[in-house]
Amino acid sequence: MAKRQKLSHQQKRRVQQSQQKKLARGKRVAPDIDTDNLGPLQQGIVISRFGEQADVADSDQQVFRCYLRQNLGSLVSGDIVMFRLDKQQHGIVEAVEERRSELTRPTAHSGLKTIVANIDHIYIVIAPLPDFSSVMLDRYLVACELAGIDTSIILNKVDLYSPDAYQQMQAHLDIYRALDYPVYESSCKQHQGIEAIQASLASKDSILVGQSGVGKSSLINELLPDVAALTGAVSENSRLGTHTTTASKLYFLSGGGHIIDSPGTREFGLWHLPADDLLRGFKELYPIQNQCKFRNCQHLNEPGCAIQKAVSEHSVELSRFESYQSILKSLS
């Protein structure tokens, strides 16, 4: 065996400097943690994430502010983690368990971003204000279908509809009812439909998603009267919602399970998807795409397209086909 060479004085100094930097970095990440006297590992669930820290609830639903070990990845609400506490009840997250499900969306600067983990139901909240967009709804539904997570639609702020506008919206929602998406209606001002949604939430791990301003935080306040979630208004000038929830937050349900309130979005892009994956997100289109004349059919203007034929025969709704075409054109 070759004799190990001794480190030079300069090499020893560099090693020492590196160790000091690592120690200093550890103190910056967790300055309040007594890392020499940590208690046993225990399992918890992430309530909310704040940079290098997260609120974590233990099995008794007691919440602790915890620092995060490096290389844990991007923790989100719903993640199941292992953490330790010191004598002052300061915590540090040591590990994260494998997710059973996750909902993701692309971002301009961070690539594909996980919104929430370990849920079994997604509620997409829509409303007359901000202005309803069927393409936006279909974008959410595509993401939910590809994630393999059961999905329902909540039509909130129904008190704002005129009788004629309400009937028009019902006709549009019948398209989604026919596709087996449950639809709930609610008005926080009139406490309408709240009990039905509460019954649906029971014992589930769920999340509310939707555009900014559709009333997700107001729904949380109605569904969980003991919770004081922030609420905001819709801009009269832009008719776009204001962001009141800046980080996803998990709330426990009295009958078991939990619900997560997520920050609203003004857009929900799907530009990261391959065209074949996009089609899988439309549950009524995907089964008939193999009937097209050409295997590489994009279902736009090609002859012998089975999907275009189904639209012309009214077995597929035109609005859904138009959403597919709109999203397809936006893909990179």
Side-chain angles (χ1 to χ4, degrees):
M1 181 181 292
K3 187 176 181 180
R4 181 181 296 175
Q5 294 182 347
K6 292 184 178 180
L7 295 176
S8 68
H9 178 72
Q10 187 176 10
Q11 288 173 323
K12 289 180 179 179
R13 187 175 60 188
R14 283 201 295 263
V15 170
Q16 186 177 17
Q17 288 174 343
S18 176
Q19 291 174 337
Q20 289 174 344
K21 287 181 180 178
K22 289 180 180 179
L23 289 171
R25 192 184 308 123
K27 290 178 180 179
R28 286 199 303 270
V29 172
D32 301 325
I33 300 294
D34 181 6
T35 55
D36 295 328
N37 294 284
L38 291 173
L41 274 175
Q42 53 182 311
Q43 189 181 75
I45 186 169
V46 174
I47 301 297
S48 196
R49 167 79 180 270
F50 310 97
E52 298 304 318
Q53 301 177 56
D55 282 347
V56 177
D58 65 10
S59 57
D60 295 323
Q61 299 183 7
Q62 187 174 355
V63 179
F64 303 92
R65 180 62 58 89
C66 297
Y67 290 93
L68 309 178
R69 291 284 192 197
Q70 294 183 349
N71 303 320
L72 288 178
S74 180
L75 267 64
V76 295
S77 297
D79 266 323
I80 305 300
V81 298
M82 302 301 295
F83 71 106
R84 300 178 191 269
L85 297 173
D86 65 12
K87 293 180 180 179
Q88 286 72 41
Q89 301 294 282
H90 299 141
I92 187 163
V93 175
E94 303 277 2
V96 57
E97 297 189 6
E98 184 178 354
R99 294 165 176 166
R100 73 174 191 270
S101 68
E102 60 181 8
L103 180 65
T104 62
R105 72 177 181 91
T107 60
H109 305 292
S110 305
L112 200 61
K113 178 181 179 181
T114 300
I115 300 172
V116 68
N118 302 317
I119 54 170
D120 44 46
H121 207 98
I122 298 170
Y123 292 84
I124 305 172
V125 184
I126 60 176
L129 289 176
D131 293 336
F132 170 72
S133 166
S134 59
V135 176
M136 174 72 86
L137 173 57
D138 288 332
R139 286 175 181 270
Y140 274 110
L141 288 171
V142 166
C144 296
E145 286 292 326
L146 296 180
I149 303 172
D150 292 339
T151 308
S152 297
I153 300 169
I154 298 178
L155 177 61
N156 196 26
K157 304 183 182 181
V158 292
D159 55 289
L160 298 182
Y161 280 109
S162 67
D164 288 344
Y166 177 76
Q167 291 302 319
Q168 291 175 5
M169 191 63 190
Q170 288 302 312
H172 191 73
L173 289 175
D174 283 342
I175 295 171
Y176 299 96
R177 294 185 179 100
L179 295 172
D180 295 325
Y181 291 114
V183 177
Y184 299 88
E185 298 181 15
S186 60
S187 167
C188 295
K189 288 186 176 180
Q190 299 177 353
H191 196 74
Q192 177 183 343
I194 301 303
E195 288 78 8
I197 299 173
Q198 286 174 327
S200 173
L201 290 171
S203 301
K204 293 178 183 175
D205 297 332
S206 308
I207 184 174
L208 298 181
V209 300
Q211 287 178 275
S212 304
V214 293
K216 297 186 299 297
S217 295
S218 295
L219 274 172
I220 291 288
N221 288 337
E222 289 294 312
L223 294 167
L224 304 171
D226 295 334
V227 171
L230 292 174
T231 58
V234 174
S235 167
E236 290 294 336
N237 293 328
S238 67
R239 298 176 71 83
L240 298 173
T242 57
H243 297 275
T244 53
T245 300
T246 57
S248 295
K249 185 172 182 179
L250 183 150
Y251 300 94
F252 291 106
L253 301 172
S254 59
H258 59 252
I259 185 168
I260 296 171
D261 185 16
S262 66
T265 60
R266 291 185 175 176
E267 293 293 336
F268 192 90
L270 296 171
W271 58 82
H272 66 295
L273 291 180
D276 290 344
D277 282 352
L278 171 62
L279 200 61
R280 287 197 298 112
F282 287 83
K283 60 167 65 176
E284 75 275 39
L285 304 185
Y286 187 69
I288 61 177
Q289 52 99 20
N290 289 328
Q291 302 172 23
C292 293
K293 182 177 181 180
F294 301 103
R295 291 186 61 183
N296 62 344
C297 183
Q298 291 292 298
H299 322 295
L300 295 174
N301 299 305
E302 297 88 346
C305 174
I307 291 178
Q308 292 181 63
K309 181 182 178 182
V311 173
S312 66
E313 294 175 348
H314 305 292
S315 57
V316 166
E317 291 290 338
L318 176 60
S319 65
R320 287 276 287 174
F321 183 53
E322 289 175 339
S323 285
Y324 165 76
Q325 291 181 313
S326 174
I327 300 170
L328 180 65
K329 292 176 182 178
S330 73
L331 301 184
S332 58

